[in-house]
């Protein structure tokens, strides 16, 4: 042995575990060559292995050496050791280890090619026309846009705009004719629009309905809803089925709520807005302006009181803003299931004034009476012709064994009845409102309690000091001041003899005129409320 030979001194390190290749362990034992007779430097700590197999800091760091995979497992079988660490073509040398032999890396199969990065999709926000409609609000094509309309579709918004320009109260859309508008009580055709076809009308109507409304119409074949044209007006819409095609009627509802004095309603009606409690009924035939008058009374309360107003309507017509009062408006079918359901729970909502769009059935009338008795001011509508008939209608809804109790209940709760109609003016375009007003004086309450409603008319004739008057008296006054003609007043009056006497015209034995007047006044023709 050479005299220069010295035993190598290694730094104390934790020996590496014996190499065990992946897969089944071989039965043969790897051979080790003796340590060469040369000086060996102290072993350094293992250098960090590059992810691709090269030691950190060596040339080419950051790139995978050819023929090597990151931490590639050795092939099955015992490794071959031939002495000092050597380079293998296509690979890197293994770091020195404090073992008695040197570990040798064998070439690994080439790694699979890395997948190309997926292209990044550039998402462009959808335009207003491309944005999907929320679920349940499928409104079809844009309303009135020429590019979305087919040849026989109707431009609904354009028709409604023309209707408002003409001062019409209603528009009728039905198959086989052009759109028809009601101006001052008479129907006129819109000449600038083509004849309505069944498919075109159905597409045009369905375009502004929600999916829920379509399903409801197809199930019931009737639908009431409200519709608005921004900046123009709101409309009450009724859609119906006729002769296997669709039909629709639009009633204009102005955004502006006019005061009572501008409508021509007597001043006594305005006093009902200041009552602390009770029941006030506004009645008349269809299209007589009941909703307009009620909206004015509620708006007067909204401007002069500090209370909570609750309305239940089908659908919501006039929109009330919060002024001195807090106003909540509920629509049947959207915000509540029925008038009766809404009124059952309204007493727990701390209301001061309750507006019932229409008293249709026994349950609704019963709850409205109860609310009026429990200290609330209740406004409601009925389709009756005069005050006495209104009282009888409320009582007759109930079974015979309850009518005595209802008479007593109604006599205590009633505060007033306003019956009205619209008459064509003779001094200017439009129509004038004629009213009949009943004020619940002690004498009137007593007549209701005792079932003597046939005497109410006479009590109203003599109740001018309390603010009462009959329909014939108001019509006669309109004839005298020249607002309506005598013939128009004769059509609208309830008692021809009284009307002739009040106007100073005695047509002896004109039963034909009397019959005509009664027939027309009871006919309930549809009058618009726009003139109000």
């Amino acid at each position: 042995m050479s005299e220069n030979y010295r035993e190598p001194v290694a730094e104390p390190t934790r020996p590496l575990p014996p190499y065990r290749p992946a897969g089944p362990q071989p039965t043969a034992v790897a051979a080790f060559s003796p340590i060469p007779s040369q000086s060996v430097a102290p072993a350094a700590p293992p250098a960090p292995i590059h992810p691709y197999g090269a030691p950190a800091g060596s040339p080419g760091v950051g790139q995978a050496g050819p023929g090597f995979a990151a931490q590639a497992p050795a092939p099955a079988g015992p490794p071959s050791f031939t002495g000092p660490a050597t380079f293998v073509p296509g690979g890197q040398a293994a770091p020195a280890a404090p073992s008695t032999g040197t570990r040798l890396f064998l070439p690994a199969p080439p790694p699979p090619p890395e997948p190309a990065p997926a292209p990044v999709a550039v998402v462009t926000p959808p335009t207003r026309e491309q944005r999907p409609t929320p679920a349940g609000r499928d409104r079809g094509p844009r309303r009135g846009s020429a590019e979305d309309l087919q040849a026989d579709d109707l431009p609904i918004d354009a028709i409604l705009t023309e209707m408002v320009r003409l001062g019409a109260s209603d528009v009728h859309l039905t198959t086989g004719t052009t759109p028809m508008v009601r101006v001052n009580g008479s129907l006129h055709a819109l000449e600038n629009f083509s004849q309505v076809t069944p498919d075109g009308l159905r597409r045009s109507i369905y375009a502004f309905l929600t999916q829920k409304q379509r399903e409801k119409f197809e199930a019931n074949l009737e639908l009431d809803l409200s519709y608005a044209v921004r900046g123009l007006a709101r409309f009450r819409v009724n859609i119906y089925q006729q002769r296997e095609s669709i039909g629709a009627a639009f009633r204009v509802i102005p955004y502006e709520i006019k005061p009572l004095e501008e409508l021509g309603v007597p001043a006594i009606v305005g006093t009902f807005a200041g009552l602390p409690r009770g029941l006030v009924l506004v009645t008349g035939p269809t299209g007589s302006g009941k909703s307009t008058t009620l909206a004015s009374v509620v708006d007067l309360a909204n401007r002069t009181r500090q209370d909570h107003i609750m309305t239940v309507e089908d659908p919501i017509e006039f929109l009330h803003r919060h002024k001195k009062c807090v106003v909540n408006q509920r629509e049947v079918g959207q915000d509540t299931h029925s008038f009766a359901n809404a009124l059952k729970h309204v007493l727990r909502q701390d209301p001061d004034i309750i507006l019932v769009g229409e008293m249709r059935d026994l349950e609704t009338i019963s709850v409205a009476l109860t609310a009026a008795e429990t200290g609330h001011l209740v406004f409601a509508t009925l389709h009756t012709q005069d005050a006495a008939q209104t009282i009888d209608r409320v009582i007759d809804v109930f079974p015979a064994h309850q009518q005595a109790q209802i008479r007593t209940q109604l006599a205590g709760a009633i505060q007033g009845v306003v019956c009205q109609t619209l008459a064509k003016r003779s001094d200017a375009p439009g129509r004038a409102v004629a009213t009949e007003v009943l004020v619940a004086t002690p004498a009137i309450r007593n007549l209701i309690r005792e079932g003597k409603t046939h005497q109410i008319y006479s009590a109203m004739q003599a109740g001018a000091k309390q603010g009462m008057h009959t329909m014939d008296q108001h019509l006669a006054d309109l004839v005298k001041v020249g607002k309506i003609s005598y013939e128009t007043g004769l059509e609208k009056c309830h008692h021809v003899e009284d009307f002739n006497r009040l106007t100073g015209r005695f047509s002896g034995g004109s039963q034909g005129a009397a019959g005509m007047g009664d027939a027309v006044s009871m006919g309930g023709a549809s009058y618009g409320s726009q003139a109000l």
Side-chain angles (χ1 to χ4, degrees):
M1 181 177 297
S2 172
E3 62 183 12
N4 292 331
Y5 174 79
R6 289 186 303 175
E7 290 290 334
V9 180
E11 293 182 6
T13 57
R14 179 178 298 178
L16 294 174
Y19 175 78
R20 295 183 182 274
Q25 299 297 323
T27 57
V29 180
F32 291 87
S33 61
I35 301 176
S37 57
Q38 59 182 5
S39 176
V40 178
I49 302 301
H50 187 267
Y52 295 102
S58 62
V61 170
Q63 297 180 355
F68 278 86
Q71 299 180 352
S80 173
F81 293 90
T82 58
T86 58
F87 285 94
V88 179
Q92 297 286 350
S99 60
T100 57
T102 307
R103 184 181 306 167
L104 180 66
F105 277 110
L106 295 179
E114 295 185 2
V120 178
V122 179
V123 179
T124 304
T127 62
R128 185 179 182 89
E129 291 76 10
Q130 296 171 340
R131 289 172 187 160
T133 306
R137 303 291 294 177
D138 181 17
R139 293 190 175 274
R142 289 175 292 156
R143 302 171 298 183
S145 57
E147 62 271 19
D148 293 328
L149 292 177
Q150 298 187 21
D152 56 347
D153 286 0
L154 291 176
I156 299 294
D157 287 6
I159 293 174
L160 297 178
T161 302
E162 181 68 11
M163 164 193 175
V164 174
R165 188 188 70 82
L166 295 175
S169 60
D170 301 82
V171 63
H172 296 272
L173 304 178
T174 188
T175 303
T177 183
T178 57
M180 305 290 290
V181 294
R182 186 177 296 277
V183 181
N184 297 331
S186 301
L187 287 178
H188 303 275
L190 292 178
E191 301 295 342
N192 297 331
F193 298 92
S194 60
Q195 186 170 329
V196 179
T197 62
D199 293 339
L201 179 57
R202 182 175 294 271
R203 283 193 301 269
S204 302
I205 295 297
Y206 273 32
F208 63 80
L209 297 183
T210 66
Q211 184 63 32
K212 182 179 179 180
Q213 288 171 337
R214 296 180 191 178
E215 294 173 356
K216 184 178 179 181
F217 171 70
E218 291 172 357
N220 301 331
L221 301 180
E222 308 280 352
L223 181 64
D224 289 313
L225 70 149
S226 58
Y227 180 80
V229 177
R230 186 181 298 274
L232 182 67
R234 299 180 68 251
F235 302 86
R236 185 183 71 193
V237 187
N238 178 265
I239 306 173
Y240 53 90
Q241 192 84 4
Q242 64 93 24
R243 293 172 60 180
E244 299 182 355
S245 64
I246 199 171
F250 292 74
R251 166 71 55 83
V252 66
I253 305 170
Y255 283 119
E256 179 189 6
I257 301 177
K258 296 182 179 180
L260 291 171
E261 55 271 15
E262 189 174 343
L263 297 178
V265 177
I268 187 63
V269 178
T271 62
F272 294 145
L275 295 174
R277 68 188 65 86
L279 177 65
V280 177
L281 300 176
V282 179
T283 71
T286 302
S288 58
K290 300 184 297 295
S291 299
T292 304
T293 300
L294 265 182
S296 297
V297 174
V298 172
D299 184 66
L300 177 60
N302 193 13
R303 290 185 281 111
T304 57
R305 300 176 60 160
Q306 295 178 332
D307 290 322
H308 180 202
I309 302 175
M310 288 288 299
T311 74
V312 185
E313 306 171 69
D314 184 21
I316 293 174
E317 297 184 339
F318 288 88
L319 299 178
H320 295 275
R321 299 182 181 273
H322 305 297
K323 296 179 181 177
K324 286 190 174 182
C325 293
V326 175
V327 185
N328 288 306
Q329 296 181 264
R330 306 185 69 191
E331 181 170 325
V332 174
Q334 298 291 333
D335 307 313
T336 184
H337 292 297
S338 66
F339 284 103
N341 285 342
L343 293 178
K344 283 180 181 179
H345 301 281
V346 73
L347 300 182
R348 297 185 179 181
Q349 298 160 6
D350 187 34
D352 298 289
I353 301 174
I354 303 171
L355 170 64
V356 185
E358 186 176 348
M359 295 202 302
R360 296 178 176 177
D361 50 27
L362 183 150
E363 190 175 10
T364 304
I365 295 174
S366 178
V367 178
L369 279 174
T370 302
E373 282 187 321
T374 54
H376 304 85
L377 179 60
V378 180
F379 295 99
T381 65
L382 280 174
H383 293 281
T384 50
Q385 301 290 326
D386 55 42
Q389 184 184 4
T390 301
I391 301 299
D392 290 335
R393 175 70 61 83
V394 173
I395 296 171
D396 292 343
V397 168
F398 294 86
H401 67 277
Q402 294 184 4
Q403 291 184 2
Q405 174 191 349
I406 296 301
R407 286 185 183 276
T408 303
Q409 190 175 357
L410 181 60
I414 194 71
Q415 290 286 1
V417 179
V418 180
C419 303
Q420 65 181 57
T421 188
L422 297 177
K424 185 177 180 180
R425 300 186 62 162
S426 60
D427 61 339
R431 289 180 291 177
V433 59
T435 61
E436 177 172 290
V437 179
L438 168 68
V439 179
T441 61
I444 295 294
R445 296 182 190 275
N446 190 51
L447 292 176
I448 296 174
R449 189 178 299 109
E450 295 179 359
K452 301 179 179 178
T453 54
H454 59 280
Q455 297 182 13
I456 290 179
Y457 182 78
S458 299
M460 292 173 60
Q461 287 180 314
K465 292 183 179 180
Q466 290 80 24
M468 291 187 280
H469 61 267
T470 66
M471 179 67 71
D472 298 333
Q473 288 174 332
H474 196 186
L475 288 170
D477 292 340
L478 293 176
V479 172
K480 291 178 181 178
V481 298
K483 281 191 175 182
I484 65 173
S485 64
Y486 168 78
E487 291 74 18
T488 301
L490 190 63
E491 293 176 358
K492 301 294 182 181
C493 69
H494 292 165
H495 303 85
V496 177
E497 294 80 4
D498 290 342
F499 177 72
N500 286 333
R501 176 177 55 81
L502 292 168
T503 55
R505 302 194 182 190
F506 297 95
S507 54
S510 61
Q511 289 293 349
M516 179 190 69
D518 292 339
V520 172
S521 64
M522 297 299 290
S526 176
Y527 299 94
S529 58
Q530 176 68 17
L532 283 180

